[in-house]
Each structure stands twice: as C-alpha cells, then as structure tokens.
Amino acid sequence: MLQIIPVMLCFFAMGFVDLVGTASNYVQKDLGLLDSQANIFPSLVFFWFLIFSVPTGMLMNRIGRKKTVLVSLGITLVSLFVPLFGDDYYTMLIAFSLLGIGNAVMQTSLNPLVSNLISSDKLASTLTLGQFVKAIASFLAPILMAWGATTLFPVFGLGWRVLFLIYALVCLLSVAALAATPIHEARPDKASSIKECLKLLSSPFVLLCFLAIVCHVGIDVGTNTTAPKIIMERLGLPLEEAGFATSVYFIFRTIGCFLGAFILRKISSKLFFIFSVALIAVGLALLLFADSLAMLYVAIAFVGFGNSNIFPITFSQALIDQPDYRNEVSGLMIMGLFGGTLFPLAMGYAADGIGAQWAAVAVMLVGAAYLAVYSLNIRKEK
C-alpha cells in the first residue's frame, strides 16, 4: 500500500523530538547548567503535550487528520530552523518549545490517520512499525550531534547543531510527500468539545491507558537524558563519548519496534507487554549500581528494547476501547506524553538532592511499577 510510505516518513519526522535528551546535555555543557536547570529543556518540550493534545483532537474534527499532520510538520520545520541562528539559552527555549508543540500536534493526528489505512486487528503492529521508523530518527540524532561536535570540517560552523539542518531537510521532504498523497478519511468523530473529550477520562480503562503512557514517556525521556550522565559520573567519559549511550537506547528500541511489528501478529499484546515491562525493570535495576561500560550498555539496551512497544500497545488498546471517539482518545493519549515533563523534572531534583544519578533511576522505577500493574488490565483485541 503506497499510501503508508509517506505516513511512515512522517513517523520519522515524529522522531525528531527525541533529539532533546542529548541536545539538552550539549546545552548544559555549553552553558554550565545544573541537572535541574538542563532538564527544563526536555520537560519544556513535553509540557506542550498537556496544552495542545486535546485541542488537536478537536482540530482534526474540523479540518481532517491529514491537514492537521501537515500543520504539525510546518511547526516542526520552523523549530528546526531556529537553532541555526544561535545557541543561547532563550533561543534554545524557543526552539524546544516549538518542537514540542509541533510534535504534540503530530502525534495526536498521525496515529489516528493510520487507522484510516489499517484494520483494527493490524493497528497495534502497524503503529509499532511506525515507532520503528520513528526510532531510526531517534538513534541517529546523538550520532549526528557527536559528528557535528567533533568533525574537522564543520558545516556552517554549526557544530552539534548541524543535526537541526539535516532534520529540517528531511522534514521538508515529509511535507511534500504527504501533501501529494490522497488519503480517504472517515467522517469526524462524535465528540465536539474539549469538555466532552476530557470526560472520556471517566472511563477507568481509558484512564489506565493514559497513566501508562505518562510512565512510558517518562522512562523514555528519562533514560535518554540520564544515561549519558550516569556514564560520565561513574566512568569519567566526556559527553561526546558518553552520548553514545542514548544511541544504544534507541538502537535497541528500534530493534524492539521492528521485531514487535511481527511478534504482535503472532502472540497476544498482553503477554508481550508483560515481557517488555520485565525487561524495563531488569534494565533499571542494573542502572542503579552497574559500574562498567559493558553492563551499563546492557542495562540501557534492556530498557530500550522493553520500552519499544509500550506506546503502540497502549495506544491501540485505548483506540479499540472507544472506536467512536478515536480523534478525542488520540488527543488524551498524546496528552499523556506530558510524562516527559514530569519525570525529567523529578529526576533532576532527585539527582541534585542526593548528588548521584541513581536517584534519578529510582524515579523511573516508580513508572515501571505502574506499568506492571497496568499489564494486568490489558484486554484481548476485538
């Protein structure tokens, strides 16, 4: 199905938001910030999911899902151009804010757009394939930033910020491809106001799914922000080398998404979810005390692989539970990405307060405990 190709290219653009973890470490290094100050950047990015996700569900009812995705790509494109003109504190705040707004709109509209192309029984595996494509952009980001920071042939003097130029060009390609692709959309969902949308949280199962996504994203952003700091703290490596830990995370998340697209066609979502949460728990436990590079990479790999399929399984569960309100449910679920604000802030203050990064890992373990409870409530696909 050729229509799925430009949609998957949009999933790649969706992955641009994950650059914020490593980018915040470079900004921290350049400006000499504390952990709690540097963690404001990823927290700011995901703050906008709280504000824009539900209104985006309403916007989709007015202009359609495809047009809403195109709006999100336009905002993302602007956010990628801003850092090309400077790297001071306020410039980066503006860039990360726009990146968060664009990604909030994109994640809210792109996932239900896929439901126009794919049947319900294949939705979880297709969303997992999209997460695989998204993860490719995620794990490339630290590599490209490290290359920009160390290359002997700097591009326009941008240093690590060359990543923004590269991803801006890809974003332009995504806009062109999706705009040229005809997609038949289902009629607008029934709910027509933010109040009615938020009322869906009164459904116990929808609320469980929402909190699961809060914890998933908290662990995701927390790991790719904190993993390099753990390596620098325990092994004394510079950021350019320690930053590869974020790539390790996304490499195994990418592998997990790729394999998950096939595994979820063979075994139940519930069984695979339980297995995934177990891997996350083992990985985080290792991060508490591991003091060799090999063991730290193993721990990060476990968390990356385990966290790779939490989102698509949870998201598809919520969509299937409320088939008449898919735009609104999508807005609620993407609002759960606000966990990317809550967890880094809590982790930053915990690490500063204790004076060690294991305190930040302990915060993520709370999220893993909730996912374990949620796994018991996952339902069989209809």
Side-chain angles (χ1 to χ4, degrees):
M1 185 182 297
L2 294 178
Q3 289 173 308
I4 204 68
I5 295 176
V7 171
M8 287 299 151
L9 190 58
C10 292
F11 271 103
F12 187 89
M14 186 191 291
F16 296 169
V17 74
D18 291 322
L19 65 84
V20 67
T22 304
S24 65
N25 288 330
Y26 278 98
V27 175
Q28 180 178 15
K29 177 184 175 182
D30 291 347
L31 302 180
L33 305 176
L34 296 172
D35 282 340
S36 53
Q37 294 173 318
N39 283 9
I40 287 175
F41 289 107
S43 294
L44 181 64
V45 167
F46 290 95
F47 167 77
W48 299 109
F49 286 84
L50 178 67
I51 304 300
F52 283 93
S53 299
V54 171
T56 298
M58 306 300 101
L59 180 63
M60 283 190 287
N61 284 340
R62 290 181 176 273
I63 68 173
R65 296 167 182 172
K66 175 183 169 180
K67 289 182 179 178
T68 306
V69 174
L70 288 171
V71 169
S72 73
L73 288 170
I75 298 171
T76 300
L77 186 61
V78 173
S79 76
L80 295 170
F81 276 118
V82 169
L84 303 183
F85 300 98
D87 60 350
D88 63 90
Y89 189 78
Y90 292 104
T91 297
M92 299 309 295
L93 282 178
I94 293 170
F96 287 162
S97 292
L98 289 173
L99 182 62
I101 294 169
N103 208 262
V105 177
M106 190 184 307
Q107 297 218 37
T108 304
S109 53
L110 185 56
N111 289 294
L113 182 62
V114 174
S115 69
N116 286 124
L117 306 175
I118 302 297
S119 60
S120 294
D121 62 324
K122 299 294 188 296
L123 185 57
S125 60
T126 303
L127 290 178
T128 295
L129 178 61
Q131 292 296 306
F132 162 69
V133 176
K134 174 179 179 287
I136 294 175
S138 301
F139 87 76
L140 283 177
I143 296 173
L144 291 172
M145 278 188 270
W147 170 77
T150 59
T151 181
L152 297 177
F153 305 98
V155 181
F156 305 126
L158 292 174
W160 64 271
R161 290 177 294 129
V162 71
L163 172 74
F164 291 96
L165 175 60
I166 296 171
Y167 277 2
L169 296 176
V170 176
C171 192
L172 277 172
L173 178 61
S174 301
V175 171
L178 183 62
T181 302
I183 297 177
H184 174 72
E185 299 186 34
R187 63 183 178 83
D189 296 342
K190 295 178 182 178
S192 58
S193 71
I194 292 177
K195 181 179 179 181
E196 289 177 306
C197 181
L198 291 175
K199 282 178 65 177
L200 291 173
L201 284 175
S202 63
S203 164
F205 187 70
V206 171
L207 180 60
L208 285 173
C209 292
F210 172 80
L211 293 175
I213 288 180
V214 169
C215 293
H216 153 71
V217 178
I219 293 170
D220 183 70
V221 178
T223 302
N224 72 65
T225 302
T226 303
K229 296 178 182 178
I230 292 175
I231 292 176
M232 288 188 289
E233 176 185 84
R234 297 180 190 172
L235 304 180
L237 294 180
L239 176 58
E240 289 76 14
E241 295 181 35
F244 184 68
T246 303
S247 289
V248 171
Y249 174 80
F250 284 115
I251 286 170
F252 279 89
R253 184 174 162 181
T254 302
I255 293 171
C257 288
F258 178 75
L259 294 178
F262 300 100
I263 294 172
L264 284 168
R265 294 175 183 266
K266 301 295 183 181
I267 68 173
S268 72
S269 296
K270 183 170 186 174
L271 181 61
F272 192 44
F273 194 97
I274 292 172
F275 169 74
S276 298
V277 174
L279 276 183
I280 293 173
V282 172
L284 291 177
L286 284 174
L287 280 178
L288 285 174
F289 60 83
D291 57 3
S292 72
L293 189 60
M295 285 304 297
L296 287 169
Y297 279 168
V298 169
I300 294 164
F302 278 6
V303 179
F305 191 97
N307 213 25
S308 60
N309 294 284
I310 300 299
F311 179 85
I313 292 174
T314 304
F315 195 97
S316 64
Q317 286 272 308
L319 289 182
I320 293 170
D321 184 71
Q322 300 286 336
D324 294 330
Y325 299 94
R326 290 193 168 190
N327 285 354
E328 290 74 22
V329 169
S330 176
L332 288 175
M333 294 303 105
I334 299 305
M335 189 171 70
L337 271 67
F338 181 62
T341 293
L342 298 177
F343 274 71
L345 282 177
M347 292 165 64
Y349 282 111
D352 283 345
I354 300 297
Q357 293 298 325
W358 67 260
V361 177
V363 174
M364 291 190 285
L365 277 169
V366 175
Y370 176 81
L371 292 177
V373 173
Y374 170 76
S375 68
L376 302 177
N377 295 275
I378 292 177
R379 300 170 179 175
K380 183 177 180 181
E381 293 86 347
K382 298 177 182 179

